[in-house]
Amino acid sequence: EQGADATLLCRCVPLITTTDHGSEVIGGVLLVRDVTELRRRDRQLVSKDTTIREIHHRVKNNLQTISSLLRLQARRLEGEEAREALGESVRRIGAISVVHETLAQSADDEVGFAEIVRPLVRVVEESVSSPLRPVSITVEGDAGVVPGQVATTMAVVLTELLQNAVDHAFPTAQLADPEAGGTDGDSAAGWVRIQLDRRADGLIVRVVDDGVGIPEGFDVADASGLGLTIVRTFVEGELGGHIRLVPVERGRGTVAEVWVPTNRLVGP
């Protein structure tokens, strides 16, 4: 009745009896099951997963195209401030592109956040590292698996925190100052540590540096810079978490800590 589209699962079970001369097959049972609907659903799931991965791949390619166009535009600008603004936009687009590239290789809409952090570190290092400002970035811990949307938001947040740490914790003049550990022609290198801590109550991401520290009386809620404004909006508005910036307990430097509750780390 279903024609060539039908899928049948057949299994033959022999009926064996024992005689004086040994075992003898006296018959068999043929089990036939119509699994047409199951196979159709399997094909739909495979097709859906393939389509989703292809969409992520195309989004990544489109984002890279946009980044290339912004870079071309930046080369034509004469104002340094405008070029820096486009450069920051390229970096943020690159962070989102990393997430889509990872999701394009995943079988579902969840991804290990640590798989995204390391490519993000390379993106930031390429954009900020220079002989006048050598900064090493390391990753510690594990954040587990997070939904794709959370990964995208956290990728932008982490990129902003890394960029903020490098820009404000390690001014070029500070690194080149002999009293800061550098000598003429030999700048002191700074370090930034990304600490990932997945707990029962949520995910904690810390960005710790050994830079000049935060100004006295600084409050992240009053920060007017675009980077921290983006971070605060994403963390508090989209992820339902909170962020704080505090001095390192022992020694110098700053700790930027982001907490995301567990209920936002579970896919729909």
Side-chain angles (χ1 to χ4, degrees):
E1 188 172 339
Q2 296 181 4
D5 293 333
T7 303
L8 301 179
L9 181 63
C10 302
R11 177 170 306 208
C12 183
V13 181
L15 300 179
I16 302 175
T17 187
T18 302
T19 64
D20 295 338
H21 303 289
S23 299
E24 179 181 353
V25 178
I26 60 173
V29 176
L30 181 64
L31 305 177
V32 181
R33 181 186 179 192
D34 186 349
V35 294
T36 304
E37 184 65 19
L38 293 177
R39 292 293 180 267
R40 184 185 65 82
R41 292 179 181 177
D42 289 343
R43 287 193 296 269
Q44 287 181 343
L45 289 175
V46 171
S47 176
K48 179 182 177 181
D49 291 341
T50 303
T51 302
I52 291 175
R53 287 197 293 269
E54 178 63 22
I55 290 173
H56 285 303
H57 183 71
R58 293 187 181 185
V59 170
K60 181 206 71 171
N61 290 341
N62 290 340
L63 291 173
Q64 290 178 340
T65 301
I66 295 172
S67 297
S68 299
L69 294 174
L70 290 177
R71 290 191 187 98
L72 290 174
Q73 183 66 37
R75 295 192 187 104
R76 294 176 175 269
L77 297 176
E78 297 180 357
E80 184 64 26
E81 183 178 355
R83 283 199 297 268
E84 290 180 358
L86 287 182
E88 292 178 357
S89 298
V90 169
R91 189 187 68 250
R92 293 175 182 124
I93 293 172
I96 300 174
S97 177
V98 167
V99 178
H100 283 285
E101 182 176 9
T102 305
L103 288 172
Q105 302 170 1
S106 175
D108 49 34
D109 195 39
E110 293 185 332
V111 62
F113 190 63
E115 300 177 16
I116 296 174
V117 173
R118 289 173 175 82
L120 286 179
V121 168
R122 290 195 296 268
V123 170
V124 175
E125 284 179 334
E126 291 173 358
S127 63
V128 302
S129 183
S130 69
L132 293 177
R133 189 166 58 179
V135 178
S136 64
I137 305 176
T138 58
V139 182
E140 303 173 355
D142 189 15
V145 177
V146 298
Q149 182 57 48
V150 174
T152 301
T153 304
M154 284 299 298
V156 177
V157 168
L158 184 57
T159 302
E160 293 298 329
L161 292 178
L162 289 174
Q163 184 72 35
N164 191 68
V166 174
D167 287 344
H168 299 287
F170 308 112
T172 304
Q174 179 75 15
L175 287 174
D177 186 355
E179 296 182 359
T183 60
D184 293 339
D186 181 18
S187 301
W191 55 259
V192 177
R193 293 194 182 103
I194 303 172
Q195 299 174 344
L196 307 176
D197 187 7
R198 184 71 174 262
R199 302 181 178 182
D201 64 338
L203 170 64
I204 295 178
V205 179
R206 298 185 187 92
V207 177
V208 186
D209 64 68
D210 67 337
V212 298
I214 57 178
E216 185 176 353
F218 175 84
D219 188 353
V220 67
D222 299 329
S224 58
L226 178 59
L228 285 180
T229 300
I230 291 175
V231 170
R232 193 170 64 249
T233 301
F234 279 9
V235 171
E236 297 176 356
E238 295 193 16
L239 299 177
H242 59 70
I243 176 176
R244 67 188 188 109
L245 268 69
V246 295
V248 173
E249 290 186 2
R250 296 180 179 86
R252 71 177 204 170
T254 305
V255 179
E257 182 180 280
V258 172
W259 173 77
V260 181
T262 300
N263 61 349
R264 299 300 180 93
L265 302 176
V266 182

